Amino acid sequence: EIIISHDSEKQLIRNLIKLPDVLSEVESELYPNRLCDYLFETSQKFNQFYENCSVNNAETPELKASRLSLCTVSAATIRLLM
């Protein structure tokens, strides 16, 4: 379960769920640069999230677990596209 307590978490999640659409666009439109744009945007959104939302010092264990999940998914997405 993901807990959204800050706008930067919401923005990161919205960006992460765009991945299937981006991959479909790259495949159909043959714009590989779209992957670079998405990767850059994802990195920016993650940086904003990490700057605004404490992971290790989250207010509750549930919030900490939620933020760790966002970190894990973000890292996997970036790793996939590198």
Side-chain angles (χ1 to χ4, degrees), residues 22-79:
V22 170
L23 293 175
S24 178
E25 181 184 339
V26 167
E27 181 182 28
S28 65
E29 303 294 327
L30 301 176
Y31 289 130
N33 62 307
R34 182 67 183 109
L35 282 180
C36 297
D37 294 341
Y38 176 78
L39 186 58
F40 181 69
E41 187 178 326
T42 301
S43 298
Q44 286 181 314
K45 299 290 183 191
F46 179 78
N47 188 45
Q48 291 168 355
F49 157 73
Y50 195 77
E51 190 175 300
N52 293 314
C53 301
S54 177
V55 177
N56 283 331
N57 297 321
E59 293 83 13
T60 65
E62 294 82 11
L63 186 57
K64 181 177 181 176
S66 174
R67 290 179 177 172
L68 283 172
S69 295
L70 280 176
C71 291
T72 302
V73 172
S74 297
T77 300
I78 292 169
R79 194 174 305 118

